[in-house]
Amino acid sequence: MGVLDHISDFWTTTGGRRKFKPQDLETVEIKVRIDCEGCERKVRRAVESMEGVTQVRVEPKQNKLTVIGYVNPEKVLRRVRWRTGKPAELWPYVPYDTVSHPYVAGVYDKKAPPGYVRNVDFLPQRTTALARASSTEETMTNAFSDENPNSCSVM
């Protein structure tokens, strides 16, 4: 309670090891080209052996790898690139319903899987401004909407 407690603060019993904060459970989605069953196996094995990985799903038709576990997304991405030798990126697509203007240039992508468009948050600032509606566009769109009870009087 006195001098000994004060002095004991200078020495630790952890042996000099740093305490790391445990990572949260993450779902990491990666776009990587998968041509055949061999590529699928190669991609799966690249991340299965990582520490903290609990589940790995490979969807060859969508060229998508989903990793669930206590992992860092950047480390998983680096591991896939390094082990497979294939170019990989974080999944750049979102469901069609979550974007207000899915057919604007820069958002619509012909290579996207069915029901998906490119994520506006990942795009450069120049394209992002085009993909978002201004207040005037929103007002005009809502004026002629079927959900607007006063739209009949406008028409």
Side-chain angles (χ1 to χ4, degrees):
M1 282 276 159
V3 177
L4 289 177
D5 287 336
H6 182 66
I7 294 173
S8 67
D9 289 341
F10 293 112
W11 289 280
T12 60
T13 58
T14 59
R17 296 182 190 164
R18 293 182 184 170
K19 293 182 181 179
F20 291 104
K21 180 181 165 186
Q23 293 186 352
D24 295 329
L25 184 67
E26 294 258 355
T27 301
V28 182
E29 296 176 327
I30 297 175
K31 179 184 175 187
V32 60
R33 186 165 176 120
I34 302 169
D35 299 322
C36 61
E37 291 179 13
C39 295
E40 180 181 349
R41 190 170 39 251
K42 190 178 195 180
V43 168
R44 180 183 302 277
R45 287 184 180 170
V47 293
E48 275 182 338
S49 61
M50 284 185 73
E51 186 177 327
V53 173
T54 57
Q55 185 179 3
V56 177
R57 263 183 292 168
V58 180
E59 299 173 32
K61 288 188 178 183
Q62 291 187 344
N63 290 323
K64 183 177 181 181
L65 167 68
T66 306
V67 179
I68 300 172
Y70 300 95
V71 293
N72 182 353
E74 291 301 320
K75 285 185 179 181
V76 174
L77 187 61
R78 264 188 281 144
R79 177 78 169 250
V80 170
R81 288 177 181 160
W82 179 67
R83 281 278 183 100
T84 63
K86 295 177 174 281
E89 61 179 324
L90 291 175
W91 188 250
Y93 304 116
V94 294
Y96 175 82
D97 302 336
T98 60
V99 179
S100 58
H101 296 285
Y103 293 110
V104 172
V107 175
Y108 181 73
D109 189 0
K110 291 181 181 178
K111 295 179 182 179
Y116 288 92
V117 292
R118 195 162 275 282
N119 191 355
V120 180
D121 294 336
F122 286 147
L123 295 175
Q125 199 63 5
R126 167 178 66 83
T127 310
T128 305
L130 295 173
R132 295 203 176 117
S134 66
S135 60
T136 308
E137 289 176 357
E138 294 265 344
T139 306
M140 296 306 290
T141 305
N142 291 337
F144 295 103
S145 172
D146 291 337
E147 297 172 2
N148 185 359
N150 298 326
S151 66
C152 191
S153 64
V154 174
M155 290 182 192

